[in-house]
Amino acid sequence: MNNKNVLLKRLKICDFVLTETALYLDTHPEDKDALDYYNKHLNMRNETLDEYTRKYGTILRDKPQSEDKWDWVDNPWPWESEWSEK
């Protein structure tokens, strides 16, 4: 698996963990361990997203790589790229 696919997989895992942990925190807002777990994965996701964007271009339209050009359309759409076939 190449580095691009590794980063995409890590983003998917982090997003899953963040969603599930947020659901838990909705009913257990005082759980410090769960909040720490959420923040750990949020930081991991942000670092992974930054690394992916630096290496391969923007993946989220609200996180453009350039302020001078709308670069969201420069990369393949998710259904056009090789990772969507795996």
Side-chain angles (χ1 to χ4, degrees):
M1 189 178 304
N2 66 35
N3 192 45
K4 183 177 184 179
N5 288 338
V6 169
L7 292 173
L8 286 169
K9 188 171 185 172
R10 189 179 304 155
L11 283 172
K12 290 177 188 180
I13 292 168
C14 286
D15 284 341
F16 175 81
V17 168
L18 290 169
T19 299
E20 293 299 311
T21 307
L23 290 171
Y24 174 82
L25 284 165
D26 285 346
T27 58
H28 301 80
E30 305 296 322
D31 189 330
K32 174 97 170 79
D33 291 335
L35 187 56
D36 290 344
Y37 185 77
Y38 181 89
N39 287 326
K40 172 186 166 187
H41 284 84
L42 181 61
N43 289 333
M44 185 185 309
R45 181 192 183 277
N46 289 337
E47 290 171 5
T48 303
L49 182 60
D50 290 344
E51 182 179 351
Y52 184 95
T53 300
R54 275 193 319 277
K55 290 181 176 179
Y56 305 108
T58 189
I59 192 171
L60 300 173
R61 71 173 173 256
D62 64 342
K63 294 241 184 207
Q65 194 172 17
S66 171
E67 294 181 8
D68 301 326
K69 179 180 180 284
W70 184 248
D71 58 357
W72 168 246
V73 296
D74 289 347
N75 295 306
W77 295 98
W79 56 87
E80 295 176 327
S81 65
E82 69 278 356
W83 61 268
S84 65
E85 297 171 7
K86 297 181 186 230

